[in-house]
Short mmCIF file of all heavy atoms in Angstrom, two decimals:
data_model
loop_
_atom_site.label_atom_id
_atom_site.label_comp_id
_atom_site.label_asym_id
_atom_site.label_seq_id
_atom_site.Cartn_x
_atom_site.Cartn_y
_atom_site.Cartn_z
N ASP A 6 76.44 98.36 113.83
CA ASP A 6 76.63 97.00 113.33
C ASP A 6 78.08 96.78 112.89
O ASP A 6 78.67 95.72 113.15
CB ASP A 6 75.69 96.73 112.16
CG ASP A 6 74.22 96.84 112.57
OD1 ASP A 6 73.91 97.63 113.48
OD2 ASP A 6 73.37 96.16 111.96
N PHE A 9 80.19 96.48 116.05
CA PHE A 9 79.98 95.19 116.71
C PHE A 9 80.81 94.10 116.05
O PHE A 9 81.46 93.29 116.73
CB PHE A 9 78.50 94.81 116.68
CG PHE A 9 78.20 93.51 117.39
CD1 PHE A 9 77.89 93.50 118.73
CD2 PHE A 9 78.25 92.30 116.71
CE1 PHE A 9 77.64 92.31 119.41
CE2 PHE A 9 78.00 91.11 117.36
CZ PHE A 9 77.69 91.11 118.71
N MET A 10 80.81 94.07 114.72
CA MET A 10 81.57 93.05 114.01
C MET A 10 83.07 93.22 114.21
O MET A 10 83.80 92.24 114.38
CB MET A 10 81.24 93.09 112.51
CG MET A 10 79.79 92.71 112.18
SD MET A 10 79.31 91.10 112.88
CE MET A 10 80.49 90.00 112.11
N LEU A 11 83.54 94.44 114.24
CA LEU A 11 84.97 94.68 114.46
C LEU A 11 85.40 94.23 115.86
O LEU A 11 86.53 93.79 116.06
CB LEU A 11 85.29 96.17 114.29
CG LEU A 11 85.23 96.72 112.86
CD1 LEU A 11 85.34 98.24 112.88
CD2 LEU A 11 86.34 96.12 111.99
N THR A 13 84.07 91.74 117.54
CA THR A 13 83.67 90.35 117.76
C THR A 13 84.50 89.43 116.88
O THR A 13 84.58 89.63 115.67
CB THR A 13 82.17 90.15 117.44
OG1 THR A 13 81.40 91.10 118.18
CG2 THR A 13 81.72 88.75 117.79
N LYS A 14 85.11 88.44 117.48
CA LYS A 14 85.92 87.49 116.73
C LYS A 14 85.03 86.60 115.87
O LYS A 14 83.83 86.49 116.11
CB LYS A 14 86.74 86.62 117.68
CG LYS A 14 87.76 87.37 118.51
CD LYS A 14 88.50 86.39 119.42
CE LYS A 14 89.53 87.09 120.29
NZ LYS A 14 90.22 86.15 121.19
N ASP A 15 85.64 85.92 114.90
CA ASP A 15 84.87 85.05 114.01
C ASP A 15 84.20 83.91 114.77
O ASP A 15 83.16 83.41 114.34
CB ASP A 15 85.78 84.48 112.92
CG ASP A 15 86.16 85.51 111.87
OD1 ASP A 15 85.56 86.60 111.87
OD2 ASP A 15 87.06 85.22 111.05
N ASP A 16 84.77 83.52 115.91
CA ASP A 16 84.15 82.45 116.68
C ASP A 16 83.03 82.95 117.58
O ASP A 16 82.42 82.19 118.32
CB ASP A 16 85.19 81.69 117.51
CG ASP A 16 85.86 82.55 118.58
OD1 ASP A 16 85.49 83.74 118.72
OD2 ASP A 16 86.76 82.03 119.28
N GLY A 17 82.78 84.27 117.53
CA GLY A 17 81.67 84.84 118.27
C GLY A 17 82.02 85.41 119.63
O GLY A 17 81.16 85.96 120.31
N LYS A 18 83.29 85.29 120.02
CA LYS A 18 83.71 85.82 121.31
C LYS A 18 84.13 87.28 121.19
O LYS A 18 84.44 87.76 120.11
CB LYS A 18 84.86 84.98 121.88
CG LYS A 18 84.47 83.54 122.19
CD LYS A 18 85.66 82.76 122.73
CE LYS A 18 85.29 81.31 123.01
NZ LYS A 18 86.46 80.53 123.51
N ARG A 26 82.61 96.74 124.88
CA ARG A 26 81.85 96.84 123.63
C ARG A 26 80.58 97.69 123.80
O ARG A 26 80.22 98.45 122.90
CB ARG A 26 81.48 95.44 123.14
CG ARG A 26 80.79 95.42 121.77
CD ARG A 26 80.75 94.00 121.20
NE ARG A 26 80.06 93.07 122.09
CZ ARG A 26 80.17 91.73 122.00
NH1 ARG A 26 80.94 91.20 121.06
NH2 ARG A 26 79.53 90.95 122.83
N GLU A 95 73.12 96.75 122.25
CA GLU A 95 73.75 95.51 121.78
C GLU A 95 72.75 94.43 121.39
O GLU A 95 72.89 93.78 120.35
CB GLU A 95 74.73 94.96 122.82
CG GLU A 95 75.43 93.70 122.35
CD GLU A 95 76.64 93.35 123.19
OE1 GLU A 95 77.43 94.25 123.53
OE2 GLU A 95 76.81 92.15 123.48
N SER A 96 71.74 94.19 122.22
CA SER A 96 70.79 93.11 121.91
C SER A 96 70.06 93.36 120.60
O SER A 96 69.80 92.43 119.83
CB SER A 96 69.79 92.94 123.06
OG SER A 96 69.01 94.11 123.23
N LEU A 97 69.74 94.62 120.33
CA LEU A 97 69.06 94.96 119.08
C LEU A 97 70.00 94.82 117.88
O LEU A 97 69.58 94.39 116.80
CB LEU A 97 68.52 96.39 119.15
CG LEU A 97 67.41 96.62 120.16
CD1 LEU A 97 67.12 98.11 120.31
CD2 LEU A 97 66.13 95.88 119.74
N VAL A 98 71.26 95.17 118.07
CA VAL A 98 72.24 95.00 117.01
C VAL A 98 72.41 93.52 116.68
O VAL A 98 72.43 93.13 115.50
CB VAL A 98 73.60 95.62 117.42
CG1 VAL A 98 74.69 95.28 116.40
CG2 VAL A 98 73.48 97.13 117.56
N VAL A 99 72.51 92.70 117.71
CA VAL A 99 72.65 91.25 117.51
C VAL A 99 71.43 90.69 116.78
O VAL A 99 71.57 89.89 115.85
CB VAL A 99 72.83 90.53 118.87
CG1 VAL A 99 72.70 89.02 118.70
CG2 VAL A 99 74.18 90.87 119.47
N GLN A 100 70.23 91.12 117.19
CA GLN A 100 69.02 90.64 116.52
C GLN A 100 69.04 90.96 115.04
O GLN A 100 68.69 90.12 114.20
CB GLN A 100 67.79 91.28 117.16
CG GLN A 100 67.44 90.75 118.54
CD GLN A 100 66.27 91.51 119.16
OE1 GLN A 100 65.42 92.05 118.45
NE2 GLN A 100 66.23 91.56 120.47
N ARG A 101 69.47 92.17 114.70
CA ARG A 101 69.48 92.57 113.28
C ARG A 101 70.54 91.79 112.50
O ARG A 101 70.26 91.32 111.39
CB ARG A 101 69.75 94.07 113.17
CG ARG A 101 69.83 94.57 111.73
CD ARG A 101 69.62 96.04 111.63
NE ARG A 101 70.60 96.82 112.38
CZ ARG A 101 70.43 98.11 112.70
NH1 ARG A 101 69.32 98.73 112.36
NH2 ARG A 101 71.36 98.76 113.37
N LEU A 102 71.71 91.63 113.07
CA LEU A 102 72.76 90.89 112.38
C LEU A 102 72.37 89.42 112.20
O LEU A 102 72.65 88.82 111.16
CB LEU A 102 74.07 90.99 113.16
CG LEU A 102 74.76 92.37 113.14
CD1 LEU A 102 75.92 92.40 114.13
CD2 LEU A 102 75.25 92.70 111.73
N ALA A 103 71.71 88.86 113.21
CA ALA A 103 71.26 87.47 113.11
C ALA A 103 70.16 87.33 112.07
O ALA A 103 70.16 86.38 111.27
CB ALA A 103 70.78 86.98 114.47
N ALA A 104 69.23 88.27 112.06
CA ALA A 104 68.13 88.23 111.07
C ALA A 104 68.65 88.36 109.64
O ALA A 104 68.06 87.80 108.70
CB ALA A 104 67.14 89.36 111.37
N ASN A 105 69.77 89.08 109.49
CA ASN A 105 70.36 89.26 108.16
C ASN A 105 71.36 88.17 107.79
O ASN A 105 72.01 88.24 106.75
CB ASN A 105 71.06 90.63 108.08
CG ASN A 105 70.07 91.78 108.09
OD1 ASN A 105 68.92 91.63 107.70
ND2 ASN A 105 70.51 92.95 108.54
N GLY A 106 71.48 87.17 108.67
CA GLY A 106 72.36 86.04 108.37
C GLY A 106 73.84 86.33 108.52
O GLY A 106 74.68 85.60 107.99
N VAL A 107 74.18 87.39 109.24
CA VAL A 107 75.59 87.76 109.41
C VAL A 107 76.22 86.99 110.57
O VAL A 107 77.37 86.56 110.51
CB VAL A 107 75.74 89.28 109.65
CG1 VAL A 107 77.21 89.65 109.87
CG2 VAL A 107 75.18 90.05 108.46
N VAL A 108 75.46 86.80 111.66
CA VAL A 108 75.95 86.04 112.81
C VAL A 108 74.91 85.02 113.24
O VAL A 108 73.73 85.11 112.88
CB VAL A 108 76.29 86.95 114.01
CG1 VAL A 108 77.34 87.98 113.63
CG2 VAL A 108 75.04 87.62 114.58
N GLU A 109 75.37 84.06 114.03
CA GLU A 109 74.49 83.09 114.68
C GLU A 109 74.53 83.37 116.17
O GLU A 109 75.58 83.76 116.69
CB GLU A 109 74.99 81.67 114.40
CG GLU A 109 74.23 80.58 115.13
CD GLU A 109 74.89 79.22 114.98
OE1 GLU A 109 76.00 79.15 114.41
OE2 GLU A 109 74.30 78.24 115.45
N VAL A 110 73.42 83.21 116.84
CA VAL A 110 73.38 83.42 118.29
C VAL A 110 73.47 82.07 118.99
O VAL A 110 72.61 81.21 118.83
CB VAL A 110 72.09 84.14 118.73
CG1 VAL A 110 72.06 84.30 120.25
CG2 VAL A 110 71.98 85.50 118.05
N VAL A 111 74.56 81.88 119.75
CA VAL A 111 74.74 80.67 120.54
C VAL A 111 74.47 81.04 121.99
O VAL A 111 75.21 81.82 122.59
CB VAL A 111 76.17 80.10 120.39
CG1 VAL A 111 76.36 78.88 121.28
CG2 VAL A 111 76.46 79.77 118.94
N GLU A 121 76.96 84.16 126.12
CA GLU A 121 76.41 84.05 124.78
C GLU A 121 77.48 84.40 123.75
O GLU A 121 78.32 85.27 123.98
CB GLU A 121 75.23 85.02 124.65
CG GLU A 121 74.33 84.78 123.46
CD GLU A 121 73.03 85.58 123.57
OE1 GLU A 121 73.05 86.77 123.23
OE2 GLU A 121 72.02 85.00 123.99
N ARG A 122 77.47 83.70 122.62
CA ARG A 122 78.45 83.95 121.56
C ARG A 122 77.72 84.25 120.25
O ARG A 122 76.55 83.88 120.07
CB ARG A 122 79.37 82.75 121.34
CG ARG A 122 80.30 82.45 122.48
CD ARG A 122 81.33 81.39 122.08
NE ARG A 122 80.72 80.11 121.73
CZ ARG A 122 80.72 79.59 120.50
NH1 ARG A 122 81.26 80.24 119.49
NH2 ARG A 122 80.15 78.42 120.28
N TYR A 123 78.44 84.90 119.33
CA TYR A 123 77.84 85.28 118.06
C TYR A 123 78.77 84.93 116.90
O TYR A 123 79.35 85.81 116.26
CB TYR A 123 77.54 86.78 118.06
CG TYR A 123 76.91 87.26 119.35
CD1 TYR A 123 77.63 88.02 120.27
CD2 TYR A 123 75.58 86.92 119.67
CE1 TYR A 123 77.06 88.43 121.46
CE2 TYR A 123 75.01 87.32 120.86
CZ TYR A 123 75.76 88.07 121.76
OH TYR A 123 75.20 88.47 122.94
N PRO A 124 78.93 83.62 116.61
CA PRO A 124 79.81 83.20 115.52
C PRO A 124 79.39 83.82 114.18
O PRO A 124 78.21 83.94 113.89
CB PRO A 124 79.64 81.68 115.49
CG PRO A 124 79.12 81.32 116.84
CD PRO A 124 78.28 82.47 117.28
N VAL A 125 80.39 84.19 113.40
CA VAL A 125 80.13 84.83 112.11
C VAL A 125 79.71 83.79 111.07
O VAL A 125 80.36 82.77 110.89
CB VAL A 125 81.39 85.58 111.63
CG1 VAL A 125 81.16 86.14 110.23
CG2 VAL A 125 81.76 86.68 112.59
N LEU A 126 78.61 84.07 110.40
CA LEU A 126 78.13 83.22 109.31
C LEU A 126 78.50 83.82 107.95
O LEU A 126 78.80 83.09 107.00
CB LEU A 126 76.61 83.06 109.39
CG LEU A 126 76.06 82.37 110.64
CD1 LEU A 126 74.53 82.37 110.60
CD2 LEU A 126 76.60 80.94 110.75
N ASN A 127 78.46 85.14 107.87
CA ASN A 127 78.78 85.84 106.63
C ASN A 127 79.84 86.90 106.91
O ASN A 127 79.52 87.96 107.46
CB ASN A 127 77.52 86.49 106.04
CG ASN A 127 77.82 87.28 104.77
OD1 ASN A 127 78.92 87.21 104.22
ND2 ASN A 127 76.83 88.03 104.30
N PRO A 128 81.10 86.65 106.56
CA PRO A 128 82.18 87.59 106.89
C PRO A 128 82.26 88.81 105.96
O PRO A 128 83.04 89.73 106.23
CB PRO A 128 83.44 86.74 106.75
CG PRO A 128 83.07 85.72 105.70
CD PRO A 128 81.61 85.43 105.91
N GLN A 129 81.46 88.82 104.90
CA GLN A 129 81.59 89.89 103.90
C GLN A 129 81.37 91.30 104.46
O GLN A 129 82.16 92.21 104.16
CB GLN A 129 80.66 89.65 102.72
CG GLN A 129 80.83 90.68 101.60
CD GLN A 129 79.96 90.37 100.39
OE1 GLN A 129 79.37 89.31 100.28
NE2 GLN A 129 79.89 91.32 99.47
N PRO A 130 80.31 91.55 105.25
CA PRO A 130 80.10 92.91 105.77
C PRO A 130 81.30 93.43 106.56
O PRO A 130 81.71 94.59 106.39
CB PRO A 130 78.85 92.77 106.63
CG PRO A 130 78.10 91.63 106.03
CD PRO A 130 79.18 90.66 105.62
N GLU A 131 81.84 92.59 107.44
CA GLU A 131 83.00 93.04 108.22
C GLU A 131 84.21 93.26 107.32
O GLU A 131 84.96 94.23 107.51
CB GLU A 131 83.35 92.02 109.30
CG GLU A 131 84.55 92.46 110.15
CD GLU A 131 84.95 91.44 111.20
OE1 GLU A 131 84.26 90.41 111.33
OE2 GLU A 131 85.96 91.68 111.88
#
Side-chain angles (χ1 to χ4, degrees):
D6 298 30
F9 182 90
M10 294 307 300
L11 289 170
T13 306
K14 296 180 181 179
D15 287 349
D16 64 2
K18 296 179 181 179
R26 185 167 58 197
E95 182 165 317
S96 63
L97 294 171
V98 172
V99 169
Q100 287 176 27
R101 178 161 59 197
L102 289 171
N105 290 334
V107 178
V108 301
E109 175 188 6
V110 178
V111 178
E121 195 168 82
R122 293 189 298 113
Y123 316 106
V125 175
L126 298 177
N127 178 10
Q129 184 177 349
E131 180 182 356

